[in-house]
Amino acid sequence: MSEPLRILNIGGHPKDAILYAGGTMAKHAARGDRVTILTPTTGLSHHLEAINQYRDTGKMPEMETLVEERRKELVDAAAEIGVSDVRFLGHPDDIVTIDRDIVNDIADVIGEIRPNMIVTHWPNDTVPAHAMATQMTLLAIDAASGMRPGRPYAPTGGDTGGAQAQIFYHTQIGRTNVLESLNIRIPTTIIDITDTFIQKSNAMNKFKSQHYGEESPLQRKLGETMDGGVYAIHMRVAYTEAFITHNPQLYDYLPLSEYGRKMADRTDDEAFKDRMKMLLVD
Ligand SMILES: [Zn+2]
């Protein structure tokens, strides 16, 4: 294999980096690529357990403890997919808007690790904290590219800046609101995560503050509907994660993935079995 890749996986809320790309990151980590997970916010507004407790008891929870809980959930989840480099920037997420301090903090991480690839939300995601995370990331890429005198632009051209050759936006089917539907996203890149799906599920189950956990059916339901949904069925594998690239890629020749070619050679029976596989049955 050539040089290991440096991948920066950004989630607007702590669990997003795993929910939308955890299976893919587990594969890259296992291959020896360097994966960094970054979340700009504490995710406190999504600490559903604490919100319920406050409603039921009227007692204000200890905020620092809750922030630490959210941070620990993400660190533990990342460990399940083989990632130990977790950056938890700790900014409040109740009103997320473009914020110079957050942009600077993201730029510092980009300047330090110089990722070849960045994985993050679609820039117009209808969850504001997701869209803002990406828009701040794009500003941070710009800011960080200025830290590389004499080489401000990506070798592949385009406008990704710095050392980033590509940005992958999540395109998982999820919300059904009108804004999402006006903005249909067709994936350019689909990753087969069947081999790492259990790892991803174990990671998701660390987010107990949001009703995940070994005793909860949530990940089983979400895993089958999102990762095991139409993209997987059409790719004829059990579980996938889907992305759309920021720029078209440059090639010597028309690309055809070796993996896709191999998968196309399966018999109909083998392909049917692969796509019907359900790993989270009781
Ligand atoms: Zn989120």
Side-chain angles (χ1 to χ4, degrees):
M1 198 183 89
S2 50
E3 266 295 274
L5 292 169
R6 297 182 302 275
I7 303 172
L8 177 60
N9 176 19
I10 299 176
H13 301 111
K15 78 170 186 306
D16 293 332
I18 313 275
L19 175 62
Y20 298 113
T24 304
M25 292 305 109
K27 292 182 83 169
H28 280 282
R31 193 178 73 160
D33 292 330
R34 178 180 164 182
V35 178
T36 302
I37 286 178
L38 179 151
T39 187
T41 66
T42 60
L44 267 198
S45 64
H46 286 52
H47 198 309
L48 305 180
E49 290 285 316
I51 292 167
N52 288 350
Q53 268 175 33
Y54 177 66
R55 191 194 52 217
D56 296 344
T57 65
K59 240 182 88 199
M60 198 60 173
E62 175 55 57
M63 288 302 167
E64 270 174 34
T65 312
L66 296 184
V67 171
E68 180 49 31
E69 267 176 37
R70 295 293 271 138
R71 195 192 66 78
K72 189 172 179 312
E73 283 179 348
L74 181 59
V75 168
D76 291 350
E80 290 286 342
I81 58 165
V83 175
S84 57
D85 186 4
V86 176
R87 316 293 177 103
F88 189 90
L89 300 180
H91 292 278
D93 61 334
D94 44 358
I95 310 171
V96 175
T97 181
I98 289 185
D99 176 294
R100 190 181 286 268
D101 289 340
I102 303 180
V103 172
N104 287 342
D105 283 354
I106 299 173
D108 283 347
V109 175
I110 291 173
E112 179 200 326
I113 66 174
R114 298 182 47 239
N116 309 114
M117 290 178 180
I118 291 181
V119 178
T120 189
H121 304 276
W122 180 243
N124 303 109
D125 192 299
T126 53
V127 174
H130 296 177
M132 285 300 126
T134 297
Q135 288 176 31
M136 287 190 283
T137 298
L138 294 172
L139 290 168
I141 289 170
D142 237 12
S145 70
M147 295 173 195
R148 304 185 64 219
R151 187 107 185 271
Y153 299 112
T156 53
D159 53 359
T160 42
Q164 295 79 47
Q166 191 56 276
I167 305 173
F168 290 88
Y169 301 119
H170 320 136
T171 61
Q172 223 145 8
I173 288 177
R175 291 169 296 280
T176 56
N177 66 51
V178 171
L179 290 176
E180 287 281 335
S181 305
L182 287 173
N183 208 344
I184 294 169
R185 286 169 268 156
I186 311 294
T188 56
T189 312
I190 295 185
I191 305 296
D192 178 2
I193 62 158
T194 306
D195 287 350
T196 53
F197 180 69
I198 294 288
Q199 259 179 291
K200 174 180 180 175
S201 296
N202 290 339
M204 287 306 298
N205 282 337
K206 299 293 178 192
F207 296 104
K208 294 204 162 62
S209 68
Q210 293 183 263
H211 304 327
Y212 290 86
E214 292 80 21
E215 305 305 315
S216 161
L218 186 53
Q219 172 54 24
R220 190 175 138 202
K221 182 76 174 173
L222 273 181
E224 293 300 347
T225 52
M226 292 174 76
D227 301 335
V230 291
Y231 296 140
I233 298 233
H234 290 311
M235 291 293 136
R236 291 165 172 71
V237 297
Y239 302 96
T240 61
E241 284 168 344
F243 304 91
I244 184 164
T245 56
H246 180 79
N247 280 319
Q249 300 253 73
L250 178 68
Y251 295 96
D252 275 332
Y253 303 99
L254 291 174
L256 177 63
S257 97
E258 275 303 312
Y259 185 73
R261 200 166 169 178
K262 195 182 85 200
M263 296 302 268
D265 285 342
R266 288 169 300 173
T267 65
D268 284 352
D269 274 357
E270 286 166 346
F272 183 78
K273 266 193 203 118
D274 282 346
R275 112 175 92 158
M276 290 301 123
K277 218 183 274 172
M278 292 216 279
L279 298 178
L280 291 181
V281 288
D282 295 313

